Amino acid sequence: MPTDFKIVLFLCNWGPHVAYQTLQDRRADIPVEIKMVRIPCSGRITKALLFKALEMGADGVLLIGCQSGTCRYGTGTAAALENTEDTRQIMDLMGLGQERLQLGNFLPDQSEALLAFLQEFTQRVRDMGKSPIVPRTAAAPAAAETPETVAASHDVFACQDCGKCTSACPLALAGKSFSPRFVAAEIIAGRAQRPEVRAAVNACLTCGTCYERCPSAVNFPEFIKAMRHYYQGGELTAAPAHGGFFQSMMRAMTAETLVPRRWQALPDNIRVREKSPILFFGGCASYFDVFFRKFLNPQTERILEDSLRLLNFFDVEPALLADERCCGHDLLWSGDRDNFLRLAALNAKALAASGAEELITACPECYHTLSREYPRYGVTLPLKITHMHEFLEREIAKGAVAFKPLEGKIAFQDACRQSRFNDQAELPRKLLQRLTNGTPLVDGGAPSVCCGNSAWTGCDAFSKRMQVQHIEKAKQAGGQMIVTACPKCQIHLGCAMEDVMRGDELKMEMMDLTSAIAKSIYWA
Amino acid sequence: MYKQITITGFGGQGVVLAGRIVGQAAAIGDNLESTLVQSYGPESRGGACSAQVTIADGPIYFPYIQNPDILVCMSQSGYDKQYPSLKKEGVLIIEQDLVKPTDSRDHFAIPCTRFSEELGNKMMANIIMVGFLAAITEAVSLDAARATVAESVPKGTVEKNLKAFDKGWEFAQATLKGRRHKAAGQIGVVA
Ligand code: SF4
Ligand code: SF4
Ligand code: SF4
């Protein structure tokens, strides 16, 4: 019973391939839906590769490797297990269901068992039906869009060649031969296609430091965003971090029939409602926690739970979008404007249907994207967008609450989307002041240097060096804890602290501001 | 319904104006009866002064108050003098930074002078107190109290004073919310 289902089988070259060959030699009934890809080791198939197949239209993916103890390279079996487990859990959260991905481990002589496994999986996929994911190819930008028009519409011609941007850029300061002034000049000179220029556009952190300094107010991050979209006509972001897993995941979420199961693991003591004038928008933190579990073990989902608890603390029982999708920030900032717009349209529809009047989010990227980028691209939302910090400031200012002070000296890590893009560096500091009993923050210069990455694009040795220098400075100034305002800052800075060459030297406690408030606030 | 409210403080705090706003709001806004007795007494000039407001849904035959149901103290001397007269089950409201209670009786406190300074003018502590009093005791309705504030303050300061009133009202709501949570054992967020 051949069907038009597609199943991708990643098959390890060693043990299980022998079993597979035995099946082929005796013309066994391997389901025709299965497309086999020979790979050197199951442990080398990353989460990004596993998911990429699904993003590109596979209805099921199989990863088959050697049995534990027989891996030629020693650690392949364990790595494959972790990668499939994490990916399956993310698939579950995003509503795809974990059953479409499965790991199998076989010895060379287990051909019969392998055949049964393949047939059973194929039958399961047939029963589940086609995958809801719609493969998306990058649409070429409109023909009228050229580097010249992009430069013109962002007023890059106003550049006076003063170089202030380069002298402030954290990447340049970390020693990378990288200069926003040079990028602007090259693109204006019609050399946008040079590989160095493309690489530079890709490397920019879009942190906005240069824009702060520029005497001609050249909005460099916006210009970079538009250039990435222009380049994307050919190839998606040249070097996305983590193999482009997050971009894949976000693109997959543009499928209308996919129904994410975003909030299934919410603790019982958090009170939410079916309908409420206030809606809480979580963002992608939960996906990150699963993805980085093994390496960094971040606890960014805590930020969302603490936010909900704080809302409850102030007697707000918010509604949630059960099928909440990503806001699209990372797609937009890695050049995939079309799929960003698809996500935006789906979110706008869901938010309108919720009937809520105000949306509160604890993620600065969601906040910025929903309140500023959606309208910029013509998507209007029928509700007010409020950042969690604004809500907290509003409620705390009413009085009757007090705080148990945080111990130790604190360095604050600004979120670029909050402090620079929305000019709100004061807001988190005002909140933090209440927790520190007036003890001044480490360094004090606001806003702080970029956390090291944005939109999972262009992470390299220089951005790493920049992070390390940043953490070292905070430590030298006596900092004992970094308070962050964005889940991603925690992930990127945590990553820099993992430097194996430095052991525990860079380790520092990190806590999100919202969580810190949740920990210390009480009714006076 | 028969409520006797005494507001005390020292001269210059606007205690009498606060009393007048409460009484007027009840009479005109809420269609009740009310009386106001103001006493500067020989102690005025920085000494204690007080306003006695009676609110009732029927005629009031005697406007003086011996044992108030609600006592608002904006100064320590006012507290010292009036506190013993407060009814056993009466409600005590104090200016948090200016009054130190002498016993552990349950009370409501608001740092209205500090709030007033934060709003840019310390002369509005009385209006903040009116907002607080209205929300805590429900002696007058929100709409009536707010409208009376707007009518009673000098033109050009209406907006500022309404802000002050709202500050007191919101602080009261937050205080009541905190009490509800504490009563339910929810003191902190993760407790
Ligand atoms: S700071 Fe502005 S004007 Fe100066 S070189 Fe950079 S982009 Fe040009
Ligand atoms: S946005 Fe940040 S990383 Fe990019 S050029 Fe400007 S300062 Fe450098
Ligand atoms: S800093 Fe670490 S976590 Fe962040 S993008 Fe780079 S490798 Fe990934």
Side-chain angles (χ1 to χ4, degrees):
Chain A
M1 189 196 57
T3 58
D4 62 349
F5 288 103
K6 292 189 214 69
I7 294 172
V8 173
L9 163 62
F10 292 110
L11 183 68
C12 164
N13 208 12
W14 302 97
H17 188 258
V18 176
Y20 195 80
Q21 249 177 345
T22 314
L23 294 177
Q24 284 175 319
D25 289 349
R26 67 170 177 82
R27 294 167 160 262
D29 192 13
I30 299 174
V32 292
E33 291 91 338
I34 292 182
K35 318 269 181 277
M36 191 266 283
V37 184
R38 251 172 93 166
I39 49 160
C41 171
S42 62
R44 303 299 295 173
I45 302 301
T46 59
K47 294 171 237 193
L49 286 170
L50 289 172
F51 194 80
K52 189 85 194 164
L54 291 159
E55 188 213 337
M56 290 173 74
D59 302 296
V61 173
L62 283 170
L63 176 61
I64 294 188
C66 301
Q67 278 208 352
S68 152
T70 64
C71 172
R72 187 179 160 88
Y73 308 104
T75 56
T77 316
L81 182 65
E82 269 164 4
N83 284 338
T84 22
E85 268 321 303
D86 292 351
T87 311
R88 277 163 61 100
Q89 201 177 329
I90 289 174
M91 287 162 66
D92 225 17
L93 275 178
M94 64 184 289
L96 191 56
Q98 42 178 300
E99 295 299 306
R100 290 186 189 272
L101 169 63
Q102 200 162 353
L103 173 72
N105 298 97
F106 294 92
L107 293 170
D109 58 0
Q110 288 181 321
S111 56
E112 282 315 312
L114 175 61
L115 182 63
F117 179 80
L118 296 175
Q119 285 172 339
E120 200 185 302
F121 181 78
T122 308
Q123 192 51 49
R124 193 140 34 96
V125 171
R126 287 176 189 147
D127 293 346
M128 279 187 287
K130 296 291 288 175
S131 160
I133 293 177
V134 185
R136 306 280 188 201
T137 43
E145 195 168 81
T146 64
E148 288 71 36
T149 60
V150 174
S153 62
H154 290 84
D155 207 17
V156 181
F157 293 112
C159 170
Q160 316 165 17
D161 227 11
C162 70
K164 285 203 169 114
C165 48
T166 308
S167 62
C169 171
L171 277 181
L173 291 177
K176 190 176 169 80
S177 89
F178 174 86
S179 154
R181 184 188 61 83
F182 173 75
V183 173
E186 286 291 286
I187 291 173
I188 288 174
R191 291 194 281 271
Q193 292 305 343
R194 282 186 50 202
E196 300 92 299
V197 179
R198 284 185 76 130
V201 168
N202 198 54
C204 167
L205 304 164
T206 70
C207 67
T209 310
C210 50
Y211 182 32
E212 259 172 18
R213 305 289 167 91
C214 176
S216 298
V218 174
N219 190 336
F220 206 70
E222 274 302 316
F223 174 53
I224 289 288
K225 183 166 88 185
M227 280 308 292
R228 286 182 183 169
H229 175 244
Y230 164 77
Y231 286 136
Q232 207 229 353
E235 172 57 17
L236 297 175
T237 322
H242 305 288
F245 181 90
F246 296 112
Q247 282 91 349
S248 287
M249 181 184 94
M250 289 160 191
R251 261 194 298 280
M253 282 191 206
T254 60
E256 212 164 336
T257 52
L258 187 78
V259 186
R261 287 191 289 267
R262 186 57 189 66
W263 297 104
Q264 46 182 347
L266 215 55
D268 293 338
N269 54 7
I270 289 177
R271 288 172 285 128
V272 293
R273 286 196 208 170
E274 200 66 37
K275 282 244 176 268
S276 167
I278 292 185
L279 182 132
F280 182 74
F281 193 88
C284 292
S286 327
Y287 299 100
F288 301 149
D289 283 4
V290 179
F291 188 88
F292 290 108
R293 175 165 46 201
K294 177 189 156 204
F295 174 45
L296 301 169
N297 198 20
Q299 307 283 327
T300 56
E301 168 119 17
R302 260 300 291 279
I303 304 170
L304 311 188
E305 289 173 6
D306 285 338
S307 300
L308 289 167
R309 288 205 171 91
L310 276 164
L311 289 169
N312 284 174
F313 178 81
F314 285 113
D315 278 352
V316 174
E317 293 183 2
L320 300 168
L321 287 184
D323 60 347
E324 183 192 301
R325 288 161 209 265
C326 165
C327 73
H329 173 277
D330 296 348
L331 287 181
L332 179 64
W333 285 92
S334 50
D336 191 352
R337 195 186 294 164
D338 302 306
N339 286 309
F340 160 74
L341 286 172
R342 285 199 178 98
L343 277 178
L346 289 174
N347 280 328
K349 207 166 118 191
L351 290 172
S354 76
E357 291 149 23
E358 183 174 13
L359 177 153
I360 297 181
T361 177
C363 172
E365 292 189 344
C366 294
Y367 172 74
H368 172 75
T369 307
L370 297 172
S371 66
R372 303 274 287 267
E373 302 289 7
Y374 277 29
R376 198 200 302 279
Y377 295 98
V379 180
T380 46
L381 298 179
L383 72 189
K384 182 173 171 243
I385 311 292
T386 303
H387 189 280
M388 191 65 199
H389 294 171
E390 292 171 319
F391 168 83
L392 288 171
E393 183 54 42
R394 188 165 88 198
E395 290 299 319
I396 291 169
K398 288 180 189 166
V401 293
F403 303 88
K404 286 176 258 158
L406 290 179
E407 303 281 317
K409 229 175 158 195
I410 288 167
F412 180 67
Q413 175 63 48
D414 283 272
C416 49
R417 266 53 178 164
Q418 174 179 51
S419 295
R420 290 209 166 83
F421 284 30
N422 286 285
D423 227 351
Q424 288 180 341
E426 282 314 309
L427 176 60
R429 284 180 170 74
K430 200 166 159 197
L431 286 166
L432 194 51
Q433 212 72 65
R434 298 198 171 88
L435 307 186
T436 54
N437 252 346
T439 316
L441 300 176
V442 167
D443 97 37
S448 58
V449 175
C450 171
C451 73
N453 190 273
S454 159
W456 310 106
T457 298
C459 181
D460 66 12
F462 291 100
S463 57
K464 193 96 298 174
R465 179 142 156 219
M466 172 191 107
Q467 295 174 306
V468 168
Q469 286 170 351
H470 184 36
I471 296 170
E472 276 173 339
K473 255 200 206 137
K475 282 210 136 181
Q476 274 157 17
Q480 285 149 304
M481 173 154 77
I482 301 182
V483 172
T484 56
C486 173
K488 287 184 183 165
C489 292
Q490 268 198 26
I491 293 169
H492 300 310
L493 287 177
C495 174
M497 291 177 195
E498 287 293 319
D499 193 330
V500 277
M501 308 298 282
R502 308 287 293 263
D504 283 346
E505 244 174 82
L506 296 169
K507 290 261 159 68
M508 231 170 136
E509 199 189 333
M510 270 192 292
M511 195 188 284
D512 185 86
L513 178 54
T514 301
S515 293
I517 293 173
K519 208 176 132 188
S520 75
I521 199 170
Y522 64 94
W523 288 110
Chain B
M1 193 268 262
Y2 199 87
K3 262 189 194 150
Q4 295 180 308
I5 307 169
T6 298
I7 307 175
T8 89
F10 44 75
Q13 274 182 317
V15 160
V16 173
L17 177 61
R20 211 185 74 215
I21 291 173
V22 173
Q24 192 176 320
I28 297 174
D30 293 337
N31 294 317
L32 297 166
E33 303 276 331
S34 74
T35 59
L36 168 69
V37 177
Q38 38 182 296
S39 103
Y40 295 99
E43 329 81 322
S44 74
R45 302 253 149 134
C49 75
S50 72
Q52 303 178 353
V53 187
T54 306
I55 301 172
D57 51 7
I60 300 165
Y61 299 111
F62 185 66
Y64 291 92
I65 298 176
Q66 247 116 43
N67 299 104
D69 303 291
I70 298 165
L71 175 63
V72 180
C73 303
M74 307 260 296
S75 74
Q76 188 69 39
S77 58
Y79 170 85
D80 293 342
K81 186 156 171 247
Q82 300 281 353
Y83 177 55
S85 70
L86 178 61
K87 279 190 188 147
K88 242 203 178 81
E89 64 288 4
V91 177
L92 174 64
I93 295 176
I94 60 168
E95 199 322 332
Q96 186 179 306
D97 296 339
L98 301 180
V99 178
K100 290 262 158 301
T102 47
D103 62 18
S104 59
R105 181 195 174 110
D106 185 32
H107 64 271
F108 293 91
I110 176 170
C112 54
T113 310
R114 178 157 34 104
F115 285 164
S116 180
E117 276 166 9
E118 281 166 14
L119 289 173
N121 179 355
K122 81 172 186 206
M123 299 309 289
M124 301 187 299
N126 57 339
I127 303 297
I128 299 179
M129 187 55 102
V130 171
F132 188 69
L133 164 72
I136 295 282
T137 65
E138 294 177 353
V140 283
S141 69
L142 169 64
D143 291 343
R146 232 177 160 267
T148 314
V149 167
E151 280 166 26
S152 312
V153 299
K155 290 233 162 2
T157 67
V158 174
E159 209 177 301
K160 266 188 150 178
N161 277 288
L162 285 179
K163 237 177 147 179
F165 175 86
D166 291 343
K167 178 77 202 170
W169 177 272
E170 283 185 346
F171 186 77
Q173 298 299 350
T175 304
L176 293 171
K177 199 187 271 188
R179 287 195 172 213
R180 276 199 306 278
H181 281 263
K182 279 204 261 188
Q186 304 151 343
I187 292 155
V189 173
V190 275

